[in-house]
């Protein structure tokens, strides 16, 4: 595996309960700097919960999480961690009362202290990078799902994060828009940023992943390079999962 | 005297108009002050109710409940006639303004709370993920969306406050209604009362229409 890389995320013995439901059971995951990790598994297997713990949208019950050397806890340290970790959501979560440009420029101004001029300039560059330079002044409601998600990616990039988390970024999209979002993600993967991606797009996972992690019932069941996971799966749960998702 | 001359006597109306207008001015200042204070207080109460540590939250809930339950007229009479026994002597204007503001704040608090809770959870999560501070999350992300949702009910509440200013006439506040009743006594003619009613309607009817329009626009999903 990617042992040569310095781990930028270290998750050890993570347990997360929702009431009496155990979403994560003793999960350990290290992600190397610049590594692309794709997390797959059936719904309810804990993959979203796992990546939401990294920036503490879910607060884990026990275990430790380190991001870039900082232990993730509540309080002032958390803001510093979150500023290094960008997130792209399944339902985009763009701010509907702001233009695409403003959505992207907001956090750099409020968190990094950039001037609006500087931030807008950077936001325009990012929107160009995701192919939306002509849509900068539009509101989210005026954009297609695929365009909204690309704004979502630009917004996450605006903070110049070391780590990007993708929580099923194409699951809410019409099929014809999935490609444009995956293309942008593929481009990003080549820039050397660390990415942790939860997705159901198996061919994308095969193409982009350095490592694929398969989760089932709150545990990491099997992980390895995509060729191994997809072509030579060992665990029967992984086999039946792949059978189910690849057969149609 | 015909009915017309009794209730709509032009000479009487012209004679008492300055009195009515001075009353209208008082009504207007009182209403506006109570609306502004009520909104500001309501927003503060809503934020305390949603985000303050438990004991403060409970105190806020109790405060809101009490001022939603008490009839304004009772509160007004208590502040004006009972507080002096504690050595607190408020002017009619101060008594009316504080009573109306407190009740309006309690109602506004519930409206703002509903508005904030109507903002999707994903908006809070996106703000958190971007590392926005709680203050910035509120001012940049949550409140602009919440306020849009609450514009119709909050305008409706403003109309109620404007109407309730008339209650202040019981504490000798020289508002529009009080001046009208004075004028009626002075002229021995009900025309000033009719005049006052017409003035109230002239101000409030357009506002009622406005609320209806806003609600329709909201329902249609316009930005």
């Amino acid at each position: 595996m990617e042992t040569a890389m310095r781990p930028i995320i270290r998750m050890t013995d993570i347990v997360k309960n929702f009431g009496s439901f155990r979403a994560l059971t003793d999960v350990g995951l290290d992600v190397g700097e610049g590594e692309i990790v794709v997390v797959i598994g059936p719904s309810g297997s804990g993959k979203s919960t796992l990546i939401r713990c990294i920036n503490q949208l879910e607060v884990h019950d026990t275990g430790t999480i380190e991001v870039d050397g900082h232990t993730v806890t509540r309080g002032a340290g958390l803001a510093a961690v979150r500023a290094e970790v960008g997130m792209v959501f399944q339902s985009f979560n763009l701010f509907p009362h702001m233009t695409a440009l403003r959505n992207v420029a907001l956090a750099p101004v409020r968190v990094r202290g950039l001037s609006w001029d500087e931030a807008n300039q950077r936001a325009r560059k990012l929107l160009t990078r995701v192919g939306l330079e002509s849509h900068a002044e539009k509101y989210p409601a005026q954009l297609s799902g695929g365009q909204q998600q690309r704004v979502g990616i630009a917004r996450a990039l605006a903070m110049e994060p070391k780590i990007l988390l993708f929580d099923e970024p194409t699951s809410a999209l019409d099929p014809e828009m999935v490609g444009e979002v995956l293309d942008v993600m593929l481009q990003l993967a080549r820039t050397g940023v660390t990415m942790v991606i939860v997705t159901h797009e198996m061919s994308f996972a095969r193409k982009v992943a350095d490592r694929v992690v398969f989760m089932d019932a709150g545990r990491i069941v099997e992980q390895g390079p995509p060729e191994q996971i997809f072509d030579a799966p060992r665990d029967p749960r992984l086999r039946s999962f792949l059978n189910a998702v690849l057969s149609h | 005297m015909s009915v017309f001359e009794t209730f709509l006597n032009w000479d009487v109306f012209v004679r008492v108009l300055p009195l009515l207008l001075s009353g209208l001015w008082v009504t207007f200042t009182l209403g506006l002050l109570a609306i502004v204070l009520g909104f500001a207080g309501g927003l503060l109460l809503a934020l305390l109710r949603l985000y303050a540590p438990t004991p403060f939250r409970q105190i806020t809930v109790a405060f809101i409940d009490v001022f939603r339950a008490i009839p304004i007229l009772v509160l007004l009479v208590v502040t004006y006639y009972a507080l002096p026994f504690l050595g607190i002597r408020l002017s009619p204007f101060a008594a009316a303004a504080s009573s109306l503001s407190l009740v309006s704040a309690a109602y506004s608090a519930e409206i703002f709370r509903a508005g904030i809770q109507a903002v999707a959870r994903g908006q809070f999560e996106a703000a958190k993920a971007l590392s926005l501070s709680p203050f910035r999350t509120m001012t940049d992300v949550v409140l602009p969306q919440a306020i849009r949702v609450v514009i119709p009910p909050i305008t409706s509440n403003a109309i109620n406050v404007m109407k309730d200013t008339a209650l202040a006439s019981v504490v000798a506040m020289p508002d529009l209604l009080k001046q009208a009743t004075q004028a009626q006594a002075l002229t021995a003619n009900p025309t000033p009362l009719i005049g006052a009613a017409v003035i109230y309607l002239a101000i409030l009817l357009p506002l009622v229409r406005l609320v209806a329009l806003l609600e329709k626009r909201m329902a249609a999903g316009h930005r």
Side-chain angles (χ1 to χ4, degrees):
Chain A
M1 234 164 288
E2 311 291 334
T3 42
M5 296 177 181
R6 184 176 75 94
I8 194 165
I9 304 172
R10 301 198 85 138
M11 305 179 86
T12 320
D13 301 328
I14 303 301
V15 173
K16 171 68 186 173
N17 299 299
F18 293 109
S20 61
F21 176 71
R22 176 152 291 194
L24 295 175
T25 308
D26 302 326
V27 173
L29 179 71
D30 284 5
V31 178
E33 198 164 358
E35 193 181 7
I36 314 286
V37 172
V38 173
V39 185
I40 61 171
S43 26
S45 59
K47 25 187 219 311
S48 284
T49 307
L50 178 72
I51 72 164
R52 287 162 60 86
C53 281
I54 296 172
N55 66 350
Q56 293 288 284
L57 290 186
E58 303 294 353
V59 179
H60 57 291
D61 295 324
T62 58
T64 55
I65 300 176
E66 277 175 51
V67 173
D68 201 19
H70 304 283
T71 304
V72 175
T73 44
R74 286 179 173 281
L78 182 55
V81 166
R82 280 181 175 151
E84 300 302 328
V85 180
M87 186 162 210
V88 176
F89 298 88
Q90 178 176 356
S91 47
F92 326 137
N93 297 347
L94 294 183
F95 305 130
H97 56 297
M98 298 179 193
T99 61
L101 188 73
R102 183 89 173 189
N103 262 283
V104 180
L106 181 72
V109 171
R110 298 303 194 215
V111 181
R112 298 267 194 244
L114 262 63
S115 72
W116 279 110
D117 274 354
E118 255 177 301
N120 283 339
Q121 223 168 36
R122 256 169 57 174
R124 267 182 212 288
K125 271 190 203 146
L126 287 167
L127 287 174
T128 306
R129 192 160 148 198
V130 298
L132 292 173
E133 62 274 29
S134 58
H135 296 58
E137 305 303 331
K138 288 190 183 161
Y139 288 89
Q142 298 168 296
L143 300 171
S144 73
Q147 291 169 332
Q148 287 188 54
Q149 192 58 297
R150 285 187 279 152
V151 175
I153 293 172
R155 180 175 70 174
L157 288 173
M159 289 291 283
E160 301 184 322
K162 294 183 174 153
I163 300 163
L164 280 171
L165 307 175
F166 293 83
D167 189 5
E168 302 199 25
T170 58
S171 297
L173 295 176
D174 291 334
E176 74 270 21
M177 292 167 184
V178 170
E180 63 191 70
V181 171
L182 294 182
D183 283 347
V184 170
M185 290 171 64
L186 208 59
Q187 250 185 64
L188 278 177
R190 297 194 193 104
T191 64
V193 66
T194 308
M195 293 165 78
V196 184
I197 305 165
V198 172
T199 186
H200 293 289
E201 299 291 331
M202 294 302 149
S203 55
F204 173 74
R206 184 191 279 268
K207 208 180 325 175
V208 77
D210 295 316
R211 175 158 48 119
V212 177
V213 172
F214 171 68
M215 289 187 72
D216 188 56
R219 293 172 192 275
I220 293 179
V221 173
E222 190 168 336
Q223 54 180 315
E227 311 81 59
Q228 179 197 314
I229 293 291
F230 292 116
D231 301 333
R234 285 188 300 250
D235 193 277
R237 283 167 292 182
L238 173 55
R239 276 191 220 139
S240 72
F241 172 74
L242 290 175
N243 268 331
V245 294
L246 297 176
S247 63
H248 56 79
Chain B
M1 256 213 246
S2 71
V3 173
F4 194 75
E5 270 172 75
T6 307
F7 286 96
L8 297 167
N9 191 309
W10 182 252
D11 290 339
V12 172
F13 181 71
V14 170
R15 196 141 46 96
V16 301
L17 191 59
L19 203 57
L20 292 186
L21 285 181
S22 82
L24 176 61
W25 176 246
V26 172
T27 288
F28 207 67
T29 353
L30 176 64
L32 217 59
L33 182 67
I35 286 167
V36 170
L37 289 179
F39 284 1
L43 186 55
L44 183 69
L45 288 173
L47 291 173
L48 285 173
R49 168 152 200 183
L50 286 169
Y51 304 114
T54 313
F56 295 101
R57 195 165 62 227
Q58 284 163 344
I59 292 168
T60 309
V61 171
F63 183 92
I64 292 172
D65 286 355
V66 165
F67 284 104
R68 286 176 72 200
I70 196 163
I72 298 186
L73 188 53
V74 174
L75 182 62
L76 199 58
V77 169
V78 166
T79 38
Y80 190 67
Y81 293 108
L83 284 188
F85 289 92
L86 292 173
I88 303 170
R89 201 171 293 278
L90 295 177
S91 70
F93 189 86
S98 52
S99 301
L100 288 169
S101 302
L102 283 169
V103 172
S104 170
Y107 276 98
S108 306
E110 290 301 278
I111 295 171
F112 280 123
R113 181 172 68 104
I116 290 169
Q117 285 177 329
V119 175
R121 206 171 58 116
Q123 295 289 306
F124 291 87
E125 290 188 346
K128 263 190 203 169
L130 288 168
S131 202
L132 290 180
S133 66
F135 176 76
R136 284 303 181 188
T137 301
M138 272 297 137
T139 57
D140 287 339
V141 177
V142 177
L143 289 182
Q145 297 183 62
I147 282 168
R148 180 171 297 157
V149 178
V150 303
I151 284 173
I154 218 77
T155 314
S156 189
N157 187 58
I159 293 172
N160 284 336
V161 173
M162 236 352 145
K163 281 159 66 173
D164 290 339
T165 55
L167 294 170
S169 54
V170 301
V171 294
M173 173 84 181
D175 74 322
L176 178 54
L177 179 60
K178 184 76 184 171
Q179 298 293 44
T181 48
Q182 300 266 49
Q184 181 231 351
L186 236 63
T187 58
N189 182 289
T191 299
L193 291 178
I194 305 296
V198 169
I199 293 173
Y200 277 117
L201 282 178
I203 295 170
L204 292 168
L205 260 183
L207 284 175
V208 170
R209 255 309 73 212
L210 178 70
V211 172
L213 260 173
L214 289 171
E215 279 171 347
K216 220 166 115 184
R217 265 188 53 172
M218 284 296 180
H222 279 278
R223 327 190 32 90

